[in-house]
Amino acid sequence: MEDKNISQAVILRLPRYLRYLGELKDSNVERISSQELSELMKVTASQIRQDFNNFGGFGQQGYGYKVNYLYDEIAKILGLNKTHHLIIVGAGNLGQALANYMNFERRGFHFKGIFDQDENLYGKKIRDMYVQPMSELEDFVKENDIDIAVLTIPKSAAVKVADQLVKCGVRAFWNFAHTDLNVADDVVVENVHLSDSLMRLSYIITRNESEND
Amino acid sequence: MEDKNISQAVILRLPRYLRYLGELKDSNVERISSQELSELMKVTASQIRQDFNNFGGFGQQGYGYKVNYLYDEIAKILGLNKTHHLIIVGAGNLGQALANYMNFERRGFHFKGIFDQDENLYGKKIRDMYVQPMSELEDFVKENDIDIAVLTIPKSAAVKVADQLVKCGVRAFWNFAHTDLNVADDVVVENVHLSDSLMRLSYIITRNESEND
DNA sequence: TAGATTGTTAATCGATTAACAATC
DNA sequence: TAGATTGTTAATCGATTAACAATC
């Protein structure tokens, strides 16, 4: 399972495979060939086989792939068999939305605490958590085995808070702040830049419109 | 500006260029070379020049790029000089979070209406909008020149609602539902699959951990 | 004019697709 | 055994980087 140098492009596709396999599983489909899956997902069968074989041989020649087995293997590759402890920094609309989204819990991502600097929010109950002041952040992280911090704060605060959390041992950030976090090599950052996404949509709309001239 | 076949990779990078140029602009930097920008953004100067030259020559030999001019040109390429009218379908936590995020408005993305099927939410005020029932959706779209629909509904509803909206003329979707929308070729979809993003983070954490064995 | 830096062509690298031998 | 489909190697395609002539 530990082949080196899995390309970024492959990693990007893994969750989508998992989603389709999950749906097949729910439909009680037992086996699927790369050809069938390729038609469903609208990618080439060749790519599917190449992608899977980055991690080992999950199929059987002449038969295809067992849906349940393949699903479990990909889930394992994605680390979904482990549990993670998360905190949310920033209890605004987005922070609350993420805290309330139940599906993350089911995948092993457990929200343990939520923090904000706005004292009007202190003590506010969000799901089963109470909003805590930023002054509690460092102690809480150390005491609760937190491994992922979700940043839903303005970009002006994000870099500073990230540095602070790195010092407390946090090694992974899910960053919704619209800025790049320049952290050490052993710290991982997954950015969700919503406005970038909206701009890309805008780009395609604009291009489509001008094509009709 | 209309060179064909701009690669996906380039489009993906455009919003990040805009962000850095915006920050330089705010710091009153007048000119920048591809070399300086490459150090700032941690990409190669060669890539920067190649990317910009997909859209025409924005620089001056021996001088570099004028920050203000380059910023404006990239904003134009991304269609940010146009205004868009959006509706949000799904007034849950995420829909409300997006509705309340002010920065989209500043870029020309105007939220005109928000809809939900939960009658407990009807009439609830979100920013300057009142949550409307789904039965109003089609008329509202036709009467308000809506060009982008934001889908913040469960995946079970998303495909059906998207089809309905396509019939009313909507040609662009910002899709937060965890499913692929299989729409016609002239309809554009920008997906934001938050759980996919979280799984990728999980993958990298897991890989880093097992490297330390 | 000399120096700097772009715009662009050529070289390299990596990812995708095609083909087919291995094998269930 | 014959048929099907994987796993894997080879061919192609596209994206990134390097190099440099054009030119401000």
Side-chain angles (χ1 to χ4, degrees), chain B residues 11 28 31 45 55-56 65 83 90 92-93 101 134 197 205 207 210:
Chain B
I11 300 164
N28 297 309
R31 64 163 282 278
F55 305 99
Y65 299 87
T83 59
N93 286 296
Y101 190 59
M134 295 296 284
S197 170
I205 295 171
R207 195 201 46 190
S210 64

Side-chain angles (χ1 to χ4, degrees), chain A residues 6 84 179:
Chain A
I6 307 298
H84 295 284
T179 185

Side-chain angles (χ1 to χ4, degrees), chain A residues 78-91:
Chain A
L78 288 168
L80 302 179
N81 51 335
K82 314 237 173 95
T83 58
H84 295 284
H85 296 165
L86 296 83
I87 52 164
I88 297 175
V89 186

Side-chain angles (χ1 to χ4, degrees), chain B residues 7-125:
Chain B
S7 88
Q8 200 58 36
V10 174
I11 300 164
L12 217 65
R13 288 192 289 267
L14 286 180
R16 188 158 179 264
Y17 287 128
L18 191 77
R19 175 152 49 89
Y20 275 85
L21 290 166
E23 282 167 11
L24 288 167
K25 211 164 80 116
D26 290 345
S27 316
N28 297 309
V29 176
E30 263 187 32
R31 64 163 282 278
I32 193 156
S33 67
S34 58
Q35 181 57 38
E36 291 168 305
L37 192 56
S38 88
E39 282 157 22
L40 209 57
M41 297 185 63
K42 291 168 182 153
V43 296
T44 63
S46 206
Q47 181 168 77
I48 291 175
R49 294 203 298 279
Q50 287 277 22
D51 282 355
F52 293 168
N53 278 92
N54 279 302
F55 305 99
F58 298 145
Q60 240 175 298
Q61 273 126 325
Y63 175 85
Y65 299 87
K66 288 205 163 131
V67 171
N68 273 293
Y69 173 69
L70 185 57
Y71 178 90
D72 289 344
E73 288 300 312
I74 294 180
K76 258 190 256 170
I77 292 166
L78 289 168
L80 303 178
N81 51 334
K82 313 236 174 97
T83 59
H84 295 285
H85 296 163
L86 296 83
I87 53 165
I88 297 174
V89 186
N93 286 296
L94 185 56
Q96 293 187 33
L98 295 174
N100 280 305
Y101 190 59
M102 311 300 274
N103 285 342
F104 300 142
E105 295 279 336
R106 290 202 327 225
R107 294 289 193 190
F109 300 96
H110 300 292
F111 293 110
K112 306 299 267 186
I114 183 162
F115 297 82
D116 205 288
Q117 57 151 347
D118 179 357
E119 54 192 27
N120 295 316
L121 290 171
Y122 297 168
K124 180 174 177 181
K125 190 172 185 186

